[in-house]
Amino acid sequence: MTSSLLLGLIGDGISASRTPRMHENEGAAHSIPTIYRTIDISSPHLAEATLTELLTAAIRLGFDGLNITHPFKQQVIGLLDEVDPVAARIKSVNTVVIDSTGRTTGYNTDVTGFAAGFRAGLHGAATEVVVQIGAGGAGRAVGFALAELGIRELIIADTDVQRAEGLAADIVETSAVGTRARAIGLDELEGAAASARGIVNATPVGMKAYPGTPVDTSVFGAETWVADVVYFPLETQLLAEARAKGCRTLDGSGMAVNQAIDAFELFSGEKADAQRMRETFLSF
Ligand code: NAD
């Protein structure tokens, strides 16, 4: 068994992340002393640091693993010794395991995390046609997870149409179950949402800094399910309005907790306790 864990999160503006506490508490519960540091490039002393420098420093200082977040999830791929096939397919890594020789392997637990959260929170939800809004960092993971979950037709909208088109093309190219994916313009969003069985928000809309909803919820029927990846706050305006219409909803905590559960197992070789991880996440 791992005797201790030294972990970190590399990203921009991550000081409020709940991930360090989830790993430190879970490590302690498994009698594995765990230190998890945020390595925030918005800190003045890291203003000039490159990802290569930070990764090299972590390897040299004996870190056992790293989580990687915005803006480095794609860039880190080229710096690793090995990349898990799922992460390579979606071109995004959020978890790096560093072995005792310094060898690095990249994984993506955002995909498995969203899928696990969806299975737990929206079990049995209709999978025919789903509209996904947002094709950025979280959106790429969500899109591939939805394809893995067996969504038959995935319609993707993003203010950056090229981003939506790129994600749709990548999903079509790699889907093992033949998911049909296509991009639409924002002018087609309401019409698509009105006839979809499910809606997923993977934009920052709903956060304090981006108030409102990414789509007009008056087009939802009571049988439409609605998922949000935003978790600051957990109850977004989109989810509140959808719930008021009687829709089943899924908040962003499932993805956030399950990505950490899967990463903890990769770092420690131990199964995390899902209930305990969730309680830690919600205790902030
Ligand atoms: P990002 O900037 O990489 O991507 C956001 C995408 O949304 C961009 O492509 C942008 O063009 C698009 N967009 C923005 N406003 C839009 C609108 N009104 N209509 C259509 N498209 C729009 O950001 P990200 O890293 O993907 O993060 C998005 C949200 O997901 C944030 O709130 C973040 O906190 C959250 N997130 C949650 C989890 C989780 O575990 N639950 C994980 C990662 C990110």
Side-chain angles (χ1 to χ4, degrees):
M1 192 177 90
T2 312
S3 59
S4 65
L5 283 173
L6 178 57
L7 306 171
L9 171 65
I10 300 181
D12 187 7
I14 51 176
S15 60
S17 172
R18 302 174 187 198
T19 298
R21 187 98 64 88
M22 281 195 279
H23 284 278
E24 289 185 348
N25 278 5
E26 196 56 26
H30 288 257
S31 302
I32 305 170
T34 301
I35 291 177
Y36 191 116
R37 287 278 147 84
T38 50
I39 303 163
D40 189 340
I41 59 158
S42 68
S43 315
H45 72 289
L46 292 181
E48 306 290 318
T50 66
L51 178 60
T52 306
E53 283 168 356
L54 296 175
L55 181 65
T56 305
I59 295 166
R60 291 192 175 162
L61 292 174
F63 275 60
D64 301 292
L66 296 166
N67 284 123
I68 306 291
T69 190
H70 182 77
F72 296 129
K73 286 183 184 179
Q74 299 201 324
Q75 192 188 332
V76 75
I77 290 178
L79 305 176
L80 301 175
D81 295 313
E82 195 179 335
V83 178
D84 166 75
V86 174
R89 192 147 48 91
I90 78 162
K91 301 174 194 148
S92 170
V93 159
N94 79 322
T95 301
V96 176
V97 174
I98 306 169
D99 75 11
S100 55
T101 68
R103 187 176 166 75
T104 53
T105 307
Y107 300 88
N108 192 303
T109 68
D110 289 331
V111 176
T112 52
F114 181 83
F118 187 97
R119 284 192 193 98
L122 283 174
H123 183 72
T127 54
E128 288 90 352
V129 183
V130 172
V131 168
Q132 175 183 328
I133 314 156
R140 281 194 73 80
V142 166
F144 280 93
L146 288 169
E148 217 170 80
L149 287 160
I151 301 303
R152 271 199 253 146
E153 184 175 359
L154 183 60
I155 299 170
I156 306 169
D158 193 297
T159 39
D160 182 336
V161 181
Q162 281 185 337
R163 217 174 266 178
E165 286 171 349
L167 176 57
D170 287 348
I171 289 172
V172 168
E173 197 184 310
T174 58
S175 170
V177 293
T179 298
R180 296 192 303 273
R182 64 187 168 93
I184 56 168
L186 290 186
D187 54 330
E188 300 167 272
L189 180 55
E190 270 169 36
S195 52
R197 304 301 301 274
I199 309 288
V200 184
N201 175 42
T203 78
V205 177
M207 299 179 78
K208 223 186 222 167
Y210 306 94
T213 63
V215 59
D216 180 356
T217 58
S218 68
V219 302
F220 298 172
E223 62 295 329
T224 314
W225 56 261
V226 182
D228 207 324
V229 302
V230 170
Y231 58 93
F232 281 130
L234 279 178
E235 173 85 342
T236 57
Q237 189 178 330
L238 174 70
L239 295 189
E241 290 182 11
R243 240 192 304 274
K245 299 196 74 154
C247 302
R248 287 178 78 186
T249 60
L250 179 72
D251 67 36
S253 64
M255 180 178 184
V257 172
N258 282 289
Q259 63 77 24
I261 288 174
D262 292 347
F264 183 80
E265 191 169 346
L266 289 166
F267 293 143
S268 69
E270 302 270 314
K271 271 235 167 308
D273 182 297
Q275 184 60 27
R276 189 167 48 221
M277 288 287 254
R278 186 167 179 78
E279 278 166 14
T280 306
F281 177 85
L282 293 174
S283 68
F284 284 74

